[in-house]
Amino acid sequence: AHRIMCIVYLIAFLFSLTSEQCSSKLMEDSSQSFMERMHTGKTSFIYFGNHVNPTIKLFMEQLEMSADALQDYGISVVKVNCSKDAIANYCTGEKLMTKAYLFRGSEVLRSFDIDTVFDVNAIVSHVLFSVLFNEVRYVHTPAELLRVESAAKQNSDIVVGHIPVLGLPEHRALMEAAFVYGTKYQFVQTSGTLVLKHMGVVDLSSSQARLWFLHCKGVSRRSDPCPSTPMRKPLNTINIHTFLQLMEAPLTESVLDPSEVDVVHLHLGVPVLYLFSQPQTQHLDRATAQTLGLQLRGEVGLVLIHRDSPNVKTSLKYNAAYRLPQEDVKYFTLNSAEGVVKLFKEELLQEQKLENEEEDEEHWSDLDILDDEVSESVYRDRDLMLDLESVIELTSDTFQITVTQDDITVVLFYFKWDAVCMAFIQSYIEVADALEGMNGVKLAAVNCGEWTDICSDQNVTSFPTVLIYRPMAAAQLYRGMLGTKSLHRFILLSLGSSPYILSSSAEVMSFMEGDLYSKHMYLTPVRVLGLFSSTHDMGVTSFEEAARLLRGESILGLFAHKEMIHVWTSEVEGLSVNLPALLVSRGPGVPYEVYSLPSSSPTDLVSLIKQVELDRFPELTVENLPWYLELGKPLLLLFIGKEDSTESTKALAEIKQPLSSGQLDSFLPCWIHLGRTPVGRSILEKYLGFVPPLPVLVMSQLKTGEEVFLFPPERPLMAKNILQWIHDVENGQEQPAGLIPDGKWGPPVPFFDFLAIMDQEAPTYAVQRAPKMKTGGREDHRENKHVTPNQKQTPHPSSNPQAPRQHSEL
Amino acid sequence: MSVIQPLFRLLCVLSLVLAGSGSGSGSGSGSGSGRNASVSHEYCVLGAGPAGLQMGYFLSRSQRDYIILERNAGPGSFFQIYPRHRKLISINKIYTGRRNKEFNLRHDWNSLLSDRPSLLFQRISRELYPNADDFPRYLSTFVKELGLKVKYGADIGTIKASDFNGNQGYILTDQNGVSYQCSVLLVSTGLWVPQQVDFLGSDLVEGYESIPTDPEEFKDQAVLILGKGNSAFETAQSILGRASRIHLYSPSPVRLAWQTHYVGDLRAINNELLDTYQLKSLDGLVEGRLEDIAIVRREKDGLRRRMAKKRSQKSTEGKEQLYLTLTELLDQNGNNISKITGQNLPGFHTDNFSLRQPYDRVIRCLGFRFNFSIFDGSARPPQSSGARGRLPGITAWYEGRGTPNMFVLGTAAHSRDYRMSAGGFVHGFRYTVRAVHKILEQRYHNIAWPATKLPISQLQSWILRRVNEASGPYQMFGVLGDIILLRGSYCEYLEEFPLQALPQLSALSGRPLTDQGLLVLVMQYGLNRTDTLGPGRAESEWTKAWRSNFLHPVLYYYNTLPTEKDMRQRPVGWPLPRPEALHHMVEDFLTEWDQPISHSQPLRRFLEHCLQTDLRAFYAESCFLLSLTSRTPPLFCRQGYLRKQGIVGNSHLWQHAREAGLMADHQRDITPGDDTSVSEYLKHAGAAVVSTMNFDL
């Protein structure tokens, strides 16, 4: 109960800090009083000493100051002169002089080196931290913080303090706040950069202490994250106190005129925004006020004033007012909630905190800086002339002739002003350069800004688009990644037949082992073979059509001869086939996979072939991830380092083992090589908050949502341990190591609101006309009215001050 | 000058490209003789002027049963006579520096729309301001090459409404008694009845339609022209070197097209008289009401003469001069005015009255009106409330008010945007006709308004495409606009919808609405509050785009479709009601709205606000990261990368993005050699393929 009193003390204390102390609260104990103290059960901080040297003298001064401070928290500060009263255990031994002890009754809570508790701030912060040991949670990793959060959700709010160095005034301020507010909020202390990153701090180099308020109590669903409000002022007791007060009261309601309203904010030196509410729109007004209150929380106090009260005398022409600290109330008319947020965030508060520049203010919120990575990177090349030499630029006159000339004409449809097109065109030129001189292939481009007729005729509605033209055939849409490698591979594969018609078992063998068409081996080692009893088989046409659709994407063979198939399959060990069938080879020496081939449409066949081509334990890369994510399975993801260590090889093998026995069928086991896919490092950091020693196995993208589980690094990465771990995770016996946030990807910057600006700069310009005005809108009518003398009393159409559509005053 | 109440505004003919081969003179004999031939068509187009032929093209393309009825022997007969001085003032700009066919139509004011790239007016004339004879020639070519069904020599005298199986249709009867039963009637008769104002002595006035065009006939004559539009100035300009004095009189001051952006106002090509007026070379402009004046004749010798019906003696009375006076000064006795004395003239009362000197000729150049006379009461559209009632009143979708299934096209449909936009001129109404055709297709054949379905990630680039090339919204600014129906992850893009019909969007277009809202893209001129040629006339800061004076794109975002009431109460001077959010794209000197900082990014941010989603583009690598570390990656990744169409980029571009701090740098511990892997890979790949090429192919 005495903590409530402490709020009062605290304030008093803050102002007494600077005033000179006339009497010392530091007590000196004799053996007698020490024994009595041990029996009271009270908390005391005791230093035992026997002589004074300059270091001790300084410490004693600090100890004396801390006695005043700690008294407010009911903690006595005591010194014992061992040369007078030799108290057993404490006045002896080599630790005498260099240690101080914190007692609760006769129990030692903690002992401190006097180097640690070097001054009053260090003493107070360490003592309070020890006293509050069970209440202030100390966390190292984001995962630990998330656990605290999930326990607090719908229960209490959290105050997170990041204290890079213990014992400094910031630490003391946090501890003092924790002492006072500890029953109300869950306090969390952290010191590492991992949590800092997790909280979205960009500049990790600064050693500044920080504080956040996590609004966990009000989250509506337990799966929602707790919204957080950073404290933007330096960490000291007054600021923390103010900040917490503000968190408490985002919205106050009143029936007094703004100048009469007394709210805590005015005493805390925080601006106050007053909004007026009409009885008939009270609910709407309150909702608006609440939304605004949340948006401005921590920086502005919000008061909703009910107009129906006779005390409210503000003219009806205003619907809002604000008051800056030490200033008078200013009245104004606002048209939108966004306008107010802008007013405060961009104007009023800016003026106020000129001296506290916030470093984590996103740097791209400047309106004229491109915040799109593709646009910006293309824009930076604006002085470069594109060398389109190896690409033929087509016009309406040349298009038709050109696309029918070669075996394959690849045509890129682009806009010069579209950044994505211009980023891709660089890759396109790289492909063209690589293919230059090759017979039968031509790369061309159509600038749709100029040759809009071609682009419409070719039904191009998406930009960039790549179409493949062959003589006498409909154009084929390139569906792959818009990058050099993918397009290059596609074109090379397109040059071959699809399917390859195989006519002997020797050819089939050669095809499956990659000898035939070996030039494509480095493009893809996968071969898919359709086996049919004869060319008259119903399925052959369908397969051929599917092969045409997959041209450029897959290497397909067709073998339709029942007898020869029997002969051939009998030669291959362990191969038994029921025709028609699909045979997949993943490379020389790898056993073939056999799939039955149902009679289906070419498009169904295409998806079947694409599916069987997928690797069962793929290395995820930037280019192939979408194919695997499509499967919708949770990922069992192994990260391996860029050096191909034996550990990595072993880990891969250990996962392969249960894979072949089908125990991992509900997962997609996969791996990322951080050397080939460096972005994998960022993924790990996002998952865990740090990059542990590799290899690392994690589980993510679970159906249930956001959790990421980490295979305990201390356990050996072995098949049976992995299966056990999976089992534990499925049974909820493992704690998540991180969370995948469900970010909404809303607009990255605030909206530039032309309507709000119009309303401000030309108040009647953008306002709907009042009802019953003459309709029409033809100027001749209106102008006639102005000049017709006997109609001069006609109200001017723009005299209506408010948009009628908007409710009440907001 | 007396105080004049200018009830009427534009008085002179829109001699720019007026549509019309007027069909149906008042003859209307209908002589009912034995031949009661009757033909029936689904669509009857009345008049083979530019609007009629334009509609004919669309009907023919959609293979509808239609006929174009024309009383003259060829198309565009209006242009055989008008403009009288034979110079079209519609721009025929052949060289634009661009090869974009759609863009080039922005500067081609004479061509009709068709799918034949060669069927443009520039094939007939290379002149910037072509000869009027070239226009009927062009129209003939248009009819011939597209094989349009035109029946010439069919002079429709009466139009009656009739019930066809419960739907209102129309029966047209020509001079031979042939009747045409039409389920849908498309009236494109243009404006060709000269507008007259009734005042005393108006019979002494010559009309623009019949004045001589040889300047020599005006030698040393003082001429008063009634009207201050293009035909008045065109007439004045032709006689400037011969007439002694030219005065232009009409209620309102001259309006300059280059100030008002309305091409029906005085075009600079006709305005030489402004020069001679302002340099005090005996010409001048005067404002006053036409109803208050009288033109009287007074002989030089002062003999008393009766004024009425003296025209027959005119040839013998060459020395008689005409005075402008005011009705109130005349001693009136019915229509007969006796005794014109000095006291009946204003100069007697006000010694420095501007128009105190007599004139040799008075010419009326007051424009034309719609011919209402051929419509039976059952089929007659009302007179428009604007434009002095000279035009038929029509709905926002160009259907006659109270005449269902009858649409008005071309210049006659200008009441929708009179003095606002280009709907009265070929370069404007060719698009309106196309829009009406789409409405017909929906209403009568259940074919919805064509729409392009786009993933939201492509929306910005479509808007930029339209803004940078579309000619319809550019010419029909403030009247036709593109509509984007938002449908969640995709949208439907409808081109050139008549904005005033927005509340009826769903019924007219056949496109259902959802609760996802819609965007409207409109081209607009701005506030126009500054001196047209003065400093500060152009805005270049995109944050001040709403102050743009010149034509610029504006986007409106509505949660729900505006109602008729919203539309009626829209802010003064706006084409549409106040939206939920608004975006002006800053005017551009070159009309190229394609710059990343001033145009694209602000547009993207506006769209982001409307759609409440991040629309930034990301390289495949970023999408890879976001797909694995976020439950819903950004839209661009979902609609591109995750559909296997990611934009990969190259190390050069990634470097830029990383330096800008926009892309995470994971490469920090990667040896620089890795960056070149792609190019090395390609070198290797190319070589391998080339060497084995002949083996396989």
Side-chain angles (χ1 to χ4, degrees), chain A residues 372 377 450 622 682 769 783, chain B residues 9 99 569 617 619 641 666:
Chain A
D372 176 304
S377 53
E450 205 61 25
V622 170
S682 304
R769 273 174 268 200
E783 285 179 13
Chain B
R9 304 294 278 192
R99 297 289 303 270
Q569 296 177 3
Y619 285 115
Y641 178 72
H666 338 278

Side-chain angles (χ1 to χ4, degrees), chain A residues 308-324:
Chain A
D308 46 344
S309 155
N311 297 325
V312 180
K313 297 182 185 69
T314 305
S315 154
L316 279 167
K317 70 176 172 178
Y318 301 113
N319 61 13
Y322 65 86
R323 186 174 192 172
L324 297 179

Side-chain angles (χ1 to χ4, degrees), chain A residues 488-618:
Chain A
H488 185 250
R489 180 172 55 218
F490 181 88
I491 294 171
L492 291 181
L493 288 179
S494 293
L495 284 169
S497 321
S498 190
Y500 289 100
I501 312 285
L502 307 173
S503 51
S504 70
S505 36
E507 262 187 12
V508 170
M509 205 60 200
S510 169
F511 174 81
M512 292 301 272
E513 291 302 308
D515 300 336
L516 193 57
Y517 317 112
S518 61
K519 65 170 194 228
H520 293 141
M521 209 52 207
Y522 69 96
L523 297 172
T524 167
V526 182
R527 300 284 184 276
V528 178
L529 178 63
L531 294 176
F532 296 89
S533 40
S534 88
T535 46
H536 304 298
D537 191 310
M538 299 290 280
V540 170
T541 348
S542 210
F543 183 81
E544 284 177 329
E545 179 55 27
R548 261 190 293 280
L549 292 171
L550 285 169
R551 195 166 181 174
E553 296 178 41
S554 307
I555 300 179
L556 299 176
L558 173 65
F559 190 34
H561 196 288
K562 200 173 172 182
E563 286 72 32
M564 289 207 287
I565 289 171
H566 281 310
V567 173
W568 175 67
T569 49
S570 60
E571 284 168 10
V572 182
E573 203 182 326
L575 188 66
S576 87
V577 176
N578 287 324
L579 298 181
L582 213 51
L583 221 56
V584 180
S585 157
R586 300 196 185 277
V590 184
Y592 305 151
E593 292 161 26
V594 184
Y595 300 87
S596 67
L597 196 53
S599 61
S600 52
S601 68
T603 43
D604 288 345
L605 215 48
V606 166
S607 30
L608 176 71
I609 294 170
K610 292 306 284 179
Q611 205 190 323
V612 301
E613 279 185 327
L614 292 183
D615 207 323
R616 295 187 62 201
F617 183 34

Side-chain angles (χ1 to χ4, degrees), chain A residues 620-632:
Chain A
L620 295 185
T621 62
V622 170
E623 301 217 344
N624 74 14
L625 177 73
W627 275 269
Y628 291 100
L629 279 188
E630 217 170 42
L631 300 175

Side-chain angles (χ1 to χ4, degrees), chain A residues 405-409 437-442 469 495, chain B residues 693 697:
Chain A
Q405 262 174 359
D406 282 83
D407 295 345
I408 290 182
T409 309
M438 188 182 289
N439 287 326
V441 189
K442 201 182 285 169
Y469 292 84
L495 284 169
Chain B
M693 192 52 53
L697 296 175

Side-chain angles (χ1 to χ4, degrees), chain B residues 278-538:
Chain B
Q278 291 294 331
L279 300 177
K280 296 308 276 181
S281 297
L282 298 180
D283 302 318
L285 305 177
V286 178
E287 279 77 53
R289 264 173 66 108
L290 286 164
E291 287 77 1
D292 297 340
I293 61 163
I295 302 294
V296 296
R297 188 180 278 171
R298 192 184 182 207
E299 277 188 23
K300 276 182 178 170
D301 58 7
L303 282 175
R304 295 176 181 179
R305 296 192 76 96
R306 289 173 59 81
M307 295 314 299
K309 292 172 185 168
K310 289 287 177 182
R311 270 185 298 168
S312 54
Q313 299 168 19
K314 202 173 169 184
S315 55
T316 59
E317 304 289 339
K319 284 180 184 167
E320 276 186 342
Q321 289 195 300
L322 301 166
Y323 284 87
L324 179 136
T325 183
L326 301 173
T327 331
E328 59 192 31
L329 298 176
L330 298 175
D331 319 317
Q332 221 168 319
N333 177 15
N335 273 340
N336 297 336
I337 300 149
S338 51
K339 294 187 267 177
I340 296 297
T341 65
Q343 293 194 16
N344 299 122
L345 298 177
F348 183 86
H349 307 278
T350 311
D351 62 356
N352 66 345
F353 181 73
S354 305
L355 306 179
R356 57 186 180 272
Q357 291 293 344
Y359 296 98
D360 296 300
R361 284 172 187 263
V362 180
I363 302 171
R364 161 176 51 72
C365 297
L366 297 176
F368 298 90
R369 57 188 292 117
F370 183 69
N371 181 13
F372 286 93
S373 71
I374 55 170
F375 295 90
D376 180 81
S378 61
R380 184 177 301 155
Q383 286 178 282
S384 63
S385 49
R388 303 170 75 201
R390 295 187 290 132
L391 301 166
I394 50 175
T395 62
W397 51 96
Y398 298 88
E399 195 167 15
R401 286 193 192 277
T403 56
N405 305 327
M406 178 172 106
F407 293 82
V408 181
L409 308 173
T411 306
H414 195 24
S415 65
R416 289 309 312 177
D417 61 346
Y418 182 65
R419 298 212 4 85
M420 301 282 285
S421 191
F425 314 93
V426 174
H427 69 276
F429 65 61
R430 61 190 183 199
Y431 303 101
T432 330
V433 169
R434 182 157 71 183
V436 171
H437 177 254
K438 289 174 187 165
I439 290 169
L440 300 179
E441 289 288 294
Q442 162 59 21
R443 190 189 290 180
Y444 303 113
H445 311 285
N446 211 17
I447 296 174
W449 194 286
T452 310
K453 190 175 161 180
L454 299 169
I456 288 292
S457 55
Q458 286 287 325
L459 177 57
Q460 188 192 353
S461 92
W462 266 83
I463 291 175
L464 284 173
R465 179 188 191 176
R466 289 288 293 168
V467 151
N468 283 305
E469 71 176 27
S471 60
Y474 190 91
Q475 305 284 33
M476 287 300 284
F477 54 88
V479 176
L480 297 180
D482 290 356
I483 313 273
I484 300 144
L485 300 174
L486 303 174
R487 301 260 196 256
S489 65
Y490 73 98
C491 60
E492 287 178 18
Y493 199 107
L494 282 67
E495 294 180 358
E496 297 167 22
F497 189 83
L499 296 175
Q500 296 306 306
L502 195 59
Q504 286 79 26
L505 174 69
S506 192
L508 292 174
S509 70
R511 299 274 164 194
L513 288 163
T514 61
D515 54 1
Q516 318 249 21
L518 67 154
L519 289 161
V520 184
L521 170 64
V522 190
M523 301 291 288
Q524 274 175 232
Y525 281 96
L527 301 168
N528 224 5
R529 284 181 187 160
T530 48
D531 177 2
T532 321
L533 297 177
R537 63 186 176 272

